[in-house]
Amino acid sequence: MQQIRYIVFNKKKDYASGYRDGIRITERGLALKEGQESGVFISRLLDSGEDGNQWQRAVIQSTAYGDDSVKFCFYCSDKGQTAIDGRIYRWEELMEDGEIPLERKRKAMEPYLAHTVQNPQDILLYNARGRYLWMEIQLFCQAGFLPEICQMKIYAASPSFLSYLPAIYQGGGSEEFLGRFLGLFEAVYQNLNEKIADSAKQLNPAVAEPEFLHWLAKWVGISDAHLWQEQKLRLLLGGIVKKNLIRGTREYMEHMVGTFTGERPFLLEYGDIEKYKGNEAAYKSLRQSYACGPYEVSVLVREQAVPSLREQHALKKMIEDMKPAHINMHLVILRQGIYLGQNVYAGVNSVLAAYERANLNGVAAIPSMVGMAKTESKEEKEV
């Protein structure tokens, strides 16, 4: 069997096999079940493909609440089976057997314990030597907060820096300390190599890390990338190169605003109003409400698309930053409902709002005919 370099846990199926007690599988990885104070997960057997393999390191991404919330135990063996009370069990069989108590399983695994560590992030597995490796993960609730394991990467083997040194440094007992010391530099070198190898992925908006998205956005002239939600920014950058060829046009503005809000906006230009010159009342109303000059453009967006003031201010800033220099653009938020003094568009925001009394001066109010009818009907019933 060919020796593998590393094993990654980052999908649901990676956690599906093995033993779980009080642990649930989430989209991100592992987490405690609601209402549980503690939980245990024992992973499947990881096979390096080589007897006597020296496992190198483990990199853990987790959401922990202090060192007492996450505990890892690493076990290692050249044998794929063990004996309990005269019966031979394969390690996978032992882990998945629900009739064997957890303490009995731990007792069987205890001779093969290589490392125990609280809340590890990057650990050298210098004591883990053997073909097979598996992990026991213990999660503990801390003040109501539930820790999570997001991703794990276990490095099976790689050329050790020690192998490049003269033979005198590889024997006589000094190799253990020196190997562990050089392991620190191996980890840094390994991380740099992986980043260089994966650097091409950072140019792909669909899979780039979040911090690289803002960097990519600056390449294509988007200076306010911090205002965008991550998924919408990925969607925008996916086709922005072609759209930059029409930058400054109506189509470009519709694309940018539509991607930000999740729905196509309405753009009203001066030319759209000029055709109503024959209708003096309509023409006057439109000029007061919307574009009133050759270099004026109104952008109409439904309130449901930008419900918060923060999103509305972000959209306004984005429009100001990307508009042509000689154009004045006005953002118009269309509230849902029919209100006096607000323009209403059929099928856009023409929704009957809940009944509210019309206040004249903050004190007097005009009663509703509907409200009066309901009152009279109630009085008739009582009589």
Side-chain angles (χ1 to χ4, degrees):
M1 181 177 178
Q2 185 179 4
Q3 189 177 17
I4 59 174
R5 290 184 58 193
Y6 56 80
I7 301 168
V8 179
F9 286 74
N10 59 1
K11 299 182 293 297
K12 279 188 174 182
K13 67 178 184 180
D14 296 329
Y15 303 99
S17 57
Y19 172 82
R20 295 192 308 277
D21 181 19
I23 297 287
R24 58 190 170 93
I25 301 176
T26 67
E27 292 294 335
R28 300 179 59 187
L30 294 176
L32 269 177
K33 289 183 178 179
E34 296 289 343
Q36 292 284 336
E37 291 297 322
S38 63
V40 176
F41 169 77
I42 302 178
S43 74
R44 70 180 192 274
L45 213 63
L46 308 182
D47 187 357
S48 68
E50 182 178 301
D51 289 344
N53 175 69
Q54 175 61 64
W55 294 82
Q56 186 185 14
R57 60 192 281 236
V59 179
I60 315 296
Q61 293 182 14
S62 63
T63 302
Y65 302 93
D67 289 345
D68 293 334
S69 62
V70 178
K71 181 180 179 181
F72 270 72
C73 296
F74 294 90
Y75 299 88
C76 202
S77 173
D78 275 325
K79 299 178 181 179
Q81 58 190 21
T82 189
I84 298 181
D85 296 334
R87 179 181 172 183
I88 302 298
Y89 288 89
R90 291 182 297 106
W91 284 116
E92 294 94 335
E93 184 183 1
L94 175 65
M95 294 170 192
E96 295 176 0
D97 194 329
E99 297 182 358
I100 301 178
L102 176 60
E103 291 305 320
R104 193 69 177 274
K105 295 178 182 181
R106 284 175 174 165
K107 188 175 181 180
M109 296 188 300
E110 188 177 1
Y112 307 97
L113 180 63
H115 290 275
T116 299
V117 60
Q118 301 284 119
N119 191 22
Q121 297 181 9
D122 194 334
I123 175 176
L124 296 176
L125 303 174
Y126 48 84
N127 284 334
R129 186 180 293 275
R131 174 171 178 171
Y132 304 103
L133 181 138
W134 65 98
M135 299 166 288
E136 178 186 348
I137 304 173
Q138 301 175 29
L139 301 181
F140 303 92
C141 179
Q142 296 291 322
F145 295 101
L146 305 180
E148 292 183 87
I149 304 297
C150 305
Q151 179 176 305
M152 299 186 291
K153 192 171 187 178
I154 314 300
Y155 291 85
S158 67
S160 171
F161 282 8
L162 192 63
S163 62
Y164 297 103
L165 297 180
I168 191 174
Y169 296 103
Q170 301 180 29
S174 61
E175 70 279 3
E176 182 178 349
F177 169 77
L178 188 56
R180 290 168 58 181
F181 177 73
L182 294 177
L184 301 174
F185 301 96
E186 289 177 30
V188 175
Y189 179 76
Q190 203 167 46
N191 290 342
L192 288 175
N193 270 347
E194 289 181 2
K195 287 183 178 181
I196 293 171
D198 294 341
S199 59
K201 294 181 181 179
Q202 304 302 339
L203 301 178
N204 183 353
V207 297
E209 295 179 6
E211 58 267 27
F212 278 91
L213 289 177
H214 295 177
W215 179 59
L216 291 176
K218 290 181 181 179
W219 278 21
V220 291
I222 301 175
S223 59
D224 48 8
H226 62 283
L227 301 176
W228 290 74
Q229 295 178 10
E230 182 179 321
Q231 291 304 318
K232 290 182 178 179
L233 184 58
R234 292 184 189 277
L235 179 63
L236 175 70
L237 293 176
I240 196 61
V241 174
K242 291 183 179 179
K243 289 299 180 181
N244 265 351
L245 299 176
I246 57 170
R247 189 180 181 93
T249 65
R250 176 172 182 152
E251 182 183 348
Y252 178 82
M253 293 294 298
E254 288 179 344
H255 173 74
M256 295 290 288
V257 177
T259 305
F260 186 87
T261 61
E263 60 183 43
R264 185 177 179 181
F266 303 92
L267 266 66
L268 194 62
E269 300 180 66
Y270 182 69
D272 298 325
I273 296 176
E274 286 298 291
K275 57 186 178 183
Y276 290 95
K277 271 190 173 181
N279 187 334
E280 184 177 352
Y283 182 67
K284 183 178 179 181
S285 175
L286 288 170
R287 280 179 60 88
Q288 290 176 348
S289 302
Y290 302 114
C292 57
Y295 304 107
E296 303 282 333
V297 178
S298 295
V299 182
L300 282 65
V301 177
R302 296 196 313 153
E303 188 179 32
Q304 299 94 305
V306 281
S308 67
L309 287 176
R310 180 185 180 280
E311 291 175 305
Q312 293 173 16
H313 288 311
L315 178 57
K316 185 175 181 180
K317 184 179 186 307
M318 184 191 73
I319 290 174
E320 287 295 322
D321 288 345
M322 67 182 177
K323 70 177 181 63
H326 63 289
I327 298 295
N328 291 323
M329 303 194 71
H330 309 283
L331 177 61
V332 180
I333 304 297
L334 300 177
R335 294 180 61 194
Q336 187 177 17
I338 300 175
Y339 296 92
L340 291 175
Q342 176 182 297
N343 292 296
V344 179
Y345 299 87
V348 179
N349 66 332
S350 56
V351 178
L352 288 174
Y355 160 69
E356 294 180 7
R357 293 180 179 272
N359 292 319
L360 299 179
N361 56 4
V363 179
I366 302 176
S368 165
M369 296 302 296
V370 176
M372 291 174 63
K374 286 183 178 180
T375 303
E376 291 175 359
S377 175
K378 183 177 180 180
E379 290 174 355
E380 290 177 0
K381 288 181 180 180
E382 289 176 353
V383 173

